Amino acid sequence: MSKLLRLPGLIDIHVHLRDPGQTLKEDFFTGTSAALAGGVTTVFDMPNNSEPIFSYNKLIEKMKIVSQKAVCDFGLYFGTDGRNIAEFSKVQKLVVGLKIYLNLTTGKYLVDDEKMVDKVFQAWQKDKMIVVHAEGDKIDLAIDLCRKYKNKLHITHIATRSDLEKIMDAKLLKLNITCDVTPHHLFLTEKDLPYLDGFGVVKPSLASQSDADFLWDNLKYIDCIATDHAPHTLEEKKSFDSPSGMPGLETMLPLLMTAVKQKRLVLADIIRLTNTNPQKIFGFKQDKETYVEIDAYEEYEIKKENLFTKCGWSSFQGRKVKGKVKNVFIRGTKVLSDGKLLVSPGFGQNILP
Ligand code: NCD
Ligand code: ZN
């Protein structure tokens, strides 16, 4: 066997593990197992559950469930519809940040009224992250509010040249603004839609080749890569009305390792984008004994049969990749080896004390 390459465990700051509420699609055990299979040792879970996490009570309920089921480490986001500002002071210490949807997505969590968005930015603790789903003009709105109230702002899943350019401009103004891109916006484009069909439906939509090229060419302005792991059932994705979202936890690292082989990026980029920056931006420290061992030379094909995610499909089905996760360690304990999970539900810990 060739010598294994050691990388710090990946931190994915944007996943939807659907628990509680839609555990037919995923749950905290299957979702965090998928994370480990993909070399991801920490996930930050989004609040758009079927009953959204808009109250202290809902957050506590979810926290109990995740603590019992997770096999990797985790953090949770709080959500807002603009009407739950009274809850903010109770939850801020318990979550990694606040998520707000300025564009429509899965579920009905859009905050459309700009006055309400203003109140949210004003009320949320200034040294805690606000993560926004914002495209086009809504990015300008988020940046203006960040400037007005001095928030810590993270714009997630940037997919186009014009949206990244807005963030590059804002960074020049020395605002506290960061952003991420997803693997699917780097490795898929609208040219893949004819064969992907419903499996290519995602928010933001897959963009053009020149958009994807622009993201690749400007990786230095991008702070993180995050999967936006958003599983739906096979039946739903095959239907005429495919809901937006695709899983990504198990395919991010092999895709990135393959890109290293193709000299599209270097290992140091992967570490910066999936490990050091997430810690720096969200203000926490990962244990030194949390890491992943990869066979950088092993080639394999992404097959749905081999996935841990409950949804059982991947938009990267059939893709040949080079770089296989062999062993995963969390806080010194071997948690996964050769595709076998070695720990029980509840092993994973909240990254917040
Ligand atoms: C996400 C989901 O299904 O929860 N869907 C998606 O297309 N990305 C929601 C989101 O992240 O906007
Ligand atoms: Zn998402």
Side-chain angles (χ1 to χ4, degrees):
M1 195 170 68
S2 51
K3 200 171 171 299
L4 297 178
L5 173 76
R6 176 172 166 159
L7 286 184
L10 278 67
I11 299 161
D12 186 349
I13 63 165
H14 187 155
V15 303
H16 303 262
L17 301 189
R18 311 296 193 204
D19 199 353
Q22 293 177 306
T23 50
L24 216 66
K25 301 184 185 207
E26 195 78 284
D27 63 48
F28 275 125
F29 176 66
T30 56
T32 54
S33 300
L36 294 182
V40 174
T41 50
T42 301
V43 293
F44 288 178
D45 192 62
M46 286 294 169
N48 65 330
N49 294 73
S50 53
E51 287 184 35
I53 311 304
F54 287 167
S55 68
Y56 172 79
N57 289 343
K58 279 265 167 260
L59 178 68
I60 295 299
E61 184 195 329
K62 184 170 177 175
M63 224 160 228
K64 284 190 186 139
I65 298 169
V66 65
S67 312
Q68 286 162 4
K69 294 192 189 175
V71 290
C72 76
D73 289 349
F74 58 85
L76 299 180
Y77 288 101
F78 194 58
T80 185
D81 57 358
R83 294 183 190 84
N84 61 345
I85 287 174
E87 301 287 301
F88 284 6
S89 62
K90 288 183 270 177
V91 301
Q92 284 168 150
K93 276 203 290 294
L94 304 173
V95 295
V96 291
L98 178 75
K99 174 71 182 288
I100 179 166
Y101 289 89
L102 303 183
N103 296 92
L104 192 59
T105 186
T106 313
K108 298 187 181 65
Y109 313 111
L110 171 68
V111 188
D112 213 8
D113 179 344
E114 289 195 13
K115 286 202 192 73
M116 258 185 190
V117 182
D118 185 293
K119 290 216 169 69
V120 167
F121 275 66
Q122 184 176 28
W124 187 252
Q125 193 179 312
K126 297 301 168 282
D127 58 356
K128 262 270 145 129
M129 189 63 86
I130 298 184
V131 175
V132 295
H133 176 154
E135 299 174 51
D137 294 349
K138 298 290 180 164
I139 294 185
D140 303 317
L141 170 66
I143 291 172
D144 284 349
L145 290 173
C146 168
R147 191 185 336 214
K148 183 168 166 192
Y149 293 117
K150 309 269 180 290
N151 300 96
K152 217 170 140 175
L153 177 66
H154 182 87
I155 301 174
T156 190
H157 49 44
I158 292 294
T160 63
R161 174 183 188 135
S162 55
D163 284 359
L164 184 56
E165 280 175 343
K166 287 176 193 288
I167 289 159
M168 287 158 67
D169 290 345
K171 286 189 173 204
L172 290 177
L173 301 174
K174 302 258 178 282
L175 296 175
N176 204 346
I177 293 179
T178 50
C179 71
D180 68 72
V181 298
T182 70
H184 47 273
H185 292 114
L186 290 171
F187 293 96
L188 296 170
T189 68
E190 56 197 9
K191 283 213 188 86
D192 295 296
L193 283 171
Y195 76 87
L196 283 174
D197 203 17
F199 297 94
V201 176
V202 66
K203 291 256 170 64
S205 303
L206 295 180
S208 68
Q209 187 62 53
S210 74
D211 284 316
D213 291 343
F214 191 79
L215 303 182
W216 278 109
D217 291 344
N218 290 284
L219 276 186
K220 66 170 183 284
Y221 295 99
I222 293 166
D223 302 279
C224 309
I225 296 183
T227 63
D228 193 9
H229 179 90
H232 297 283
T233 67
L234 193 61
E235 292 66 37
E236 286 174 316
K237 292 301 277 184
K238 279 182 174 165
S239 73
F240 168 70
D241 206 12
S242 172
S244 62
M246 54 177 73
L249 278 165
E250 288 161 271
T251 45
M252 167 166 66
L253 184 53
L255 288 167
L256 291 172
M257 288 301 297
T258 308
V260 169
K261 289 283 174 321
Q262 296 163 343
K263 303 206 185 311
R264 303 180 83 179
L265 79 173
V266 295
L267 276 179
D269 294 319
I270 298 186
I271 295 170
R272 174 180 73 87
L273 292 161
T274 66
N275 182 265
T276 44
N277 273 349
Q279 291 180 71
K280 204 189 292 171
I281 293 169
F282 285 85
F284 73 104
K285 280 226 163 353
Q286 180 176 276
D287 192 281
K288 288 273 172 286
E289 292 307 310
T290 294
Y291 60 95
V292 43
E293 289 178 339
I294 304 162
D295 184 338
Y297 295 95
E298 184 170 334
E299 289 185 64
Y300 70 103
E301 189 181 312
I302 293 170
K303 288 193 178 144
K304 55 184 191 300
E305 302 78 54
N306 300 335
L307 301 174
F308 279 83
T309 176
K310 200 186 278 188
C311 74
W313 56 272
S314 166
S315 302
F316 294 100
Q317 170 76 17
R319 207 177 263 236
K320 296 212 170 49
V321 286
K322 193 169 186 177
K324 192 155 178 57
V325 171
K326 287 291 176 189
N327 302 308
V328 182
F329 295 80
I330 294 184
R331 290 172 264 109
T333 301
K334 196 189 250 194
V335 291
L336 183 119
S337 183
D338 280 325
K340 286 233 161 12
L341 186 67
L342 304 175
V343 287
S344 309
F347 177 84
Q349 289 183 5
N350 197 324
I351 60 132
L352 296 179

